[in-house]
């Protein structure tokens, strides 16, 4: 079976994790601080605050902005479900906006169509690594939190996604380009926000456990507000520091493989995800849109599986899941089209040219197969 994704992990990551273990400091400590600094610098932000996941990072970002009961936050339904859930964690209401048919991302006009006087923020996803048009959405005048879970290494107007972000949330789940097993990060340019976020992820403590350990003499901490335990461990950060050094090579290779897919897919009449006008994708997800006359998505996935190709349905749509049954929303025709009529093809570092031919040949068969 050709897997859809595979994390690139080597001996260096294993050695770095072992070093952290041998150091005796395994919870949030110096390696987390080093990873925060290195990651923030890589994505063009002044400050990084590591978290246990992107989901918890999104929750912290909305909590920081004061989002609460009675508030609405505009989100795409076309996203991993954590995007919408983060709004519910704050007791607020996610309001689903439709997306651009080419990129799968929110646009200024789809956000504007659903905003109300209760809209407190926009959660803008760079879906599958494709950069969203951040500037045009910021121009609406609402605070924009970027869900950059998939977008490490993508660019916007020639600069890394994350540069200039009010708040951006990142994921280091193995389904993304670089991984710490589980893990996340918030980046921001605002030093006071970074400081508060560091307290919020650590029980609201006025002095971090690591700083208390470093201090000479007795340091008594205070708990300044009700907060969370959303910390990353130093074992994870040790792995993350090695992964970060691989990021550029991972992106370059994925873009090379994507270019080959584009070439091989051209005769099939499927539309494949590609760079938008305003930036470049890291191809975290390589999806194709099935032609109108092709069989159902499920039949296509079945035919691919029978040929040894592990593909996935398109990006999920939260509003179609039981967790959002009865949740009110306006029409989402593009979201529904993309979730039902796209499939994600395998893309990972061990993919060979032969594998890519196998995938495309299988897809060609699947497109003409009569649903059985
Ligand atoms: C993966 C993903 C998340 C969740 O990331 P975790 O680190 O697994 O919590 C959130 N949003 C998007 C768009 C994602 O792709």
């Amino acid at each position: 079976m050709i897997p859809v994704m595979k994390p690139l992990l080597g001996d260096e990551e294993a050695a770095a994790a072992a070093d952290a273990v041998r150091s005796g400091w395994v919870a949030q400590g110096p390696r987390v601080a080093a990873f925060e600094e290195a990651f923030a610098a890589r994505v063009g932000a002044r400050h990084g605050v590591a978290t246990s996941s992107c989901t918890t990072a999104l929750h912290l970002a909305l909590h920081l902005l004061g989002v609460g009961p009675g508030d609405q936050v505009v989100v795409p339904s076309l996203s991993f479900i954590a995007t919408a859930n983060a709004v519910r964690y704050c007791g607020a209401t996610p309001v689903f906006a439709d997306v651009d048919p080419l990129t799968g991302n929110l646009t200024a006009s789809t956000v504007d169509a659903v905003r109300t006087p209760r809209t407190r923020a926009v959660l803008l996803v760079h879906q599958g690594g494709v950069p969203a048009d951040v500037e045009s959405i910021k121009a609406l005048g609402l605070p924009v939190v970027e869900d950059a879970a998939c977008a490490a290494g993508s660019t916007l107007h020639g600069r890394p996604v994350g540069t200039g972000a009010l708040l951006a949330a990142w994921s280091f789940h193995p389904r993304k380009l670089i991984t710490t097993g589980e893990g996340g990060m918030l980046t921001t340019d605002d030093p006071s926000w970074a400081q508060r976020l560091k307290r919020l992820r650590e029980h609201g403590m006025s002095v971090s456990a690591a700083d208390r350990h470093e201090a000479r003499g007795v340091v008594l901490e205070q708990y300044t507000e009700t907060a969370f335990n959303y910390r990353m461990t130093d074992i994870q950060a040790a792995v993350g520091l090695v992964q970060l050094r691989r990021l550029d090579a991972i992106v370059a290779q994925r873009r090379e493989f994507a270019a080959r897919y584009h070439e091989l897919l051209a005769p099939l009449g499927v539309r494949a995800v590609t760079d938008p006008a305003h930036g470049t994708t890291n191809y975290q997800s390589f999806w194709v849109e099935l032609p109108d006359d092709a069989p159902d998505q499920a039949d296509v996935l079945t035919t691919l599986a029978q040929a040894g190709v592990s593909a996935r349905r398109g990006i999920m749509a939260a509003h179609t899941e039981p967790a959002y049954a009865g949740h009110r929303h306006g029409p989402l025709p593009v979201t529904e089209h993309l979730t039902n009529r796209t499939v994600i093809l395998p893309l990972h570092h061990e993919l060979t040219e032969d594998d890519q031919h196998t995938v495309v040949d299988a897809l060609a068969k699947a497109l003409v197969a009569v649903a059985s």
Side-chain angles (χ1 to χ4, degrees):
M1 214 59 188
I2 302 173
V4 72
M5 180 64 167
K6 195 170 179 174
L8 194 171
L9 289 161
D11 290 342
E12 282 179 77
E13 282 85 350
D19 281 349
V21 170
R22 285 193 204 97
S23 78
W25 192 279
V26 289
Q28 177 187 287
R31 288 173 176 82
V32 168
F35 184 45
E36 288 172 337
E37 196 174 318
F39 187 83
R42 175 61 182 78
V43 301
R46 294 219 172 88
H47 304 280
V49 179
T51 55
S52 51
S53 69
C54 181
T55 305
T56 55
L58 290 168
H59 181 200
L60 281 191
L62 296 178
H63 184 81
L64 177 85
L65 294 177
V67 172
D71 292 335
Q72 297 178 342
V73 176
V74 176
V75 302
S77 169
L78 191 79
S79 183
F80 185 60
I81 199 153
T83 309
N85 284 349
V87 180
R88 283 187 163 175
Y89 296 164
C90 295
T93 304
V95 174
F96 294 129
D98 212 1
V99 292
D100 177 74
L102 294 181
T103 63
N105 288 326
L106 296 180
T107 68
S109 68
T110 65
V111 173
D112 201 39
V114 299
R115 73 185 289 189
T116 75
R118 287 165 61 199
T119 307
R120 281 294 302 272
V122 180
L123 262 189
L124 177 58
V125 180
H126 301 287
Q127 192 50 260
V130 178
D133 189 357
V134 179
E135 292 315 313
S136 70
I137 291 168
K138 277 186 176 169
L140 296 172
L142 294 162
V144 175
V145 175
E146 297 179 43
D147 181 342
C150 303
S154 298
T155 69
L156 184 59
H157 301 299
R159 297 189 302 178
V161 164
T163 307
L166 185 70
L167 289 158
W170 309 84
S171 174
F172 308 116
H173 183 274
R175 186 68 180 77
K176 322 298 181 183
L177 264 65
I178 61 171
T179 184
T180 58
E182 295 278 357
M185 182 92 70
L186 275 170
T187 53
T188 179
D189 287 343
D190 186 313
S192 63
W193 277 5
Q195 226 177 17
R196 173 134 186 260
L197 288 167
K198 285 180 180 177
R199 287 199 303 270
L200 284 171
R201 62 132 182 234
E202 192 172 17
H203 306 291
M205 276 158 63
S206 59
V207 185
S208 76
D211 286 348
R212 237 179 328 140
H213 178 76
E214 293 290 317
R216 290 162 196 273
V218 179
V219 178
L220 293 180
E221 79 282 11
Q222 275 190 317
Y223 297 85
T224 55
E225 57 186 313
T226 306
F228 309 93
N229 178 0
Y230 285 171
R231 286 174 298 208
M232 176 183 277
T233 70
D234 252 30
I235 306 171
Q236 292 169 296
V239 173
L241 280 163
V242 179
Q243 287 273 287
L244 187 58
R245 293 200 288 273
R246 300 190 194 272
L247 178 60
D248 290 344
I250 292 172
V251 173
Q253 191 193 39
R254 293 183 77 82
R255 289 183 59 81
E256 211 176 284
F257 289 175
R260 186 181 293 141
Y261 265 144
H262 279 130
E263 229 171 81
L264 296 176
L265 288 166
L268 268 58
V270 299
R271 181 177 72 87
V273 62
T274 188
D275 291 333
H278 51 261
T280 60
T281 174
N282 62 7
Y283 287 106
Q284 185 270 341
S285 285
F286 189 90
W287 52 262
V288 297
E289 182 180 352
L290 304 173
D292 290 343
D293 59 356
D296 282 352
Q297 181 190 56
D299 295 323
V300 170
L301 291 175
T302 303
T303 309
L304 287 170
Q306 283 163 353
V309 175
S310 176
R312 293 282 180 280
R313 64 171 179 168
I315 314 287
M316 64 172 294
H319 76 280
T320 65
E321 294 298 321
Y324 284 87
H327 186 85
R328 286 179 51 191
H329 61 82
L332 298 164
V334 180
T335 297
E336 286 171 7
H337 175 78
L338 288 177
T339 194
N340 291 326
R341 295 300 290 170
T342 60
V343 298
I344 298 172
L345 300 181
L347 186 52
H348 56 81
H349 63 285
E350 286 178 1
L351 203 65
T352 64
E353 193 167 345
D354 277 355
D355 288 339
Q356 289 195 276
H357 280 280
T358 302
V359 171
V360 173
D361 290 349
L363 183 63
K365 283 201 191 83
L367 293 182
V368 296
V370 180
S372 52

